[in-house]
Amino acid sequence: MAPHGDKSDAADETMVAKAEKRPISTILIVMAMQSEALPVVNKLNLSEDLQSVFPKGVPWVRYRGFYKDLNINLVCPGKDSSLGVDCVGTVPASLVTYASIQALQPDLIINAGTAGGFKAKGACIGDVYVASDVAFCDRRIPIPVFDLYGLGLRQALSTPNLQKELNLKVGKLSTGDSLHMSTQDEASMVANDAVVKDMEAAAVAYVADLLKVPSVFLKVVIDIKDGEETTAEESSQSFAALERAVTQVTDFINGKCLSDL
């Protein structure tokens, strides 16, 4: 008789195989800032859910609607109740992702947003990247094995057909809770061969991996970490590129299975 663990693993593999062949129906789009999200909301003709599926009192916002054959749910961590700014960073992102998965049971997560890019790695403002894998850059635990836990390296869903069809760049994504890099953060990102850096992807990846939901990370470069400051015009162009990228990815996913991506 096979050990209990072997049976459980075999069952999990069977469920994953069936999911990969089933048409994608429900998508959860996680975005950190409402200024990034609203152009996507308008383009996909989504509406704010006024009868929230979330716990009472949280600032999280959900937009929903049908786009072609897809049930789209776009969520943001919302605004801080005291300061009125977007709840950016890993903690709000992980919480809203967890609650959304529990409430909505998505087939696929897309974490979309802007990010910093590295000129030395070939990134330019307005470039659209899909992450091959994600990791933290600021969780430094210099103890064997705990150092790997702190890094939190996780692979994104492999999407070769999506990348080819939309001509997306592919690179490693690094996540940290600070907007600016410390020398230690920079060293970590260099060691991880990171091309782009954001403030939430690795947290979303942690929750998605925990609950076994495949995830894609779509990032548009809005500033160059090792170059000159971004102009207002360049920032505006990056927001427009983000809206186009999310729409194009959604169009590509429509009617497809995970294995088709």
Side-chain angles (χ1 to χ4, degrees):
M1 181 179 292
H4 177 73
D6 291 348
K7 287 184 178 180
S8 179
D9 291 345
D12 287 346
E13 289 175 3
T14 300
M15 289 178 63
V16 169
K18 288 182 178 179
E20 288 180 346
K21 296 297 182 183
R22 185 174 63 241
I24 297 167
S25 174
T26 301
I27 294 179
L28 173 64
I29 303 174
V30 181
M31 302 185 75
M33 300 178 66
Q34 285 180 271
S35 58
E36 295 176 341
L38 287 177
V40 177
V41 167
N42 294 330
K43 183 67 175 181
L44 300 182
N45 197 28
L46 306 179
S47 301
E48 185 173 352
D49 181 15
L50 300 179
Q51 296 183 346
S52 179
V53 296
F54 299 133
K56 185 178 180 180
V58 299
W60 310 334
V61 181
R62 173 195 176 207
Y63 301 94
R64 61 175 180 152
F66 283 88
Y67 181 76
K68 298 185 177 179
D69 296 327
L70 296 171
N71 177 14
I72 305 289
N73 296 274
L74 189 156
V75 299
C76 300
K79 303 285 187 179
D80 182 88
S81 59
S82 298
L83 302 174
V85 297
D86 287 292
C87 295
V88 298
T90 57
V91 174
S94 62
L95 287 170
V96 75
T97 300
Y98 178 83
S100 298
I101 293 173
Q102 292 293 89
L104 306 171
Q105 298 294 302
D107 300 312
L108 177 69
I109 293 172
I110 300 173
N111 172 222
T114 54
F118 290 94
K119 183 179 178 181
K121 292 293 184 181
C124 299
I125 291 173
D127 283 350
V128 183
Y129 278 89
V130 61
S132 55
D133 48 54
V134 298
F136 293 96
C137 65
D138 57 357
R139 301 201 314 182
R140 293 178 288 277
I141 312 174
I143 303 171
V145 185
F146 278 96
D147 56 353
L148 298 177
Y149 167 77
L151 180 61
L153 178 64
R154 287 178 173 82
Q155 287 191 331
L157 178 69
S158 179
T159 56
N161 296 324
L162 174 69
Q163 295 162 22
K164 182 179 180 181
E165 178 69 20
L166 300 184
N167 195 28
L168 302 174
K169 289 190 170 185
V170 183
K172 295 184 177 182
L173 172 59
S174 194
T175 295
D177 271 306
S178 296
L179 186 61
H180 295 291
M181 295 186 298
S182 69
T183 54
Q184 294 96 331
D185 292 347
E186 185 175 7
S188 175
M189 284 185 269
V190 169
N192 293 338
D193 200 27
V195 179
V196 286
K197 186 267 177 189
D198 80 342
M199 296 177 68
E200 69 277 338
V204 173
Y206 170 77
V207 178
D209 184 52
L210 198 67
L211 300 180
K212 307 305 178 190
V213 183
S215 49
V216 173
F217 301 89
L218 191 68
K219 302 292 169 174
V220 174
V221 177
I222 195 170
D223 70 297
I224 299 300
K225 309 302 287 186
D226 53 350
E228 297 179 358
E229 290 189 13
T230 307
T231 66
E233 182 180 357
E234 288 171 328
S235 294
S236 177
Q237 290 171 352
S238 295
F239 283 129
L242 177 62
E243 176 261 298
R244 286 194 302 272
V246 175
T247 304
Q248 289 171 349
V249 168
T250 306
D251 278 325
F252 180 84
I253 290 171
N254 185 60
K256 292 184 173 61
C257 307
L258 291 173
S259 57
D260 297 328
L261 303 185

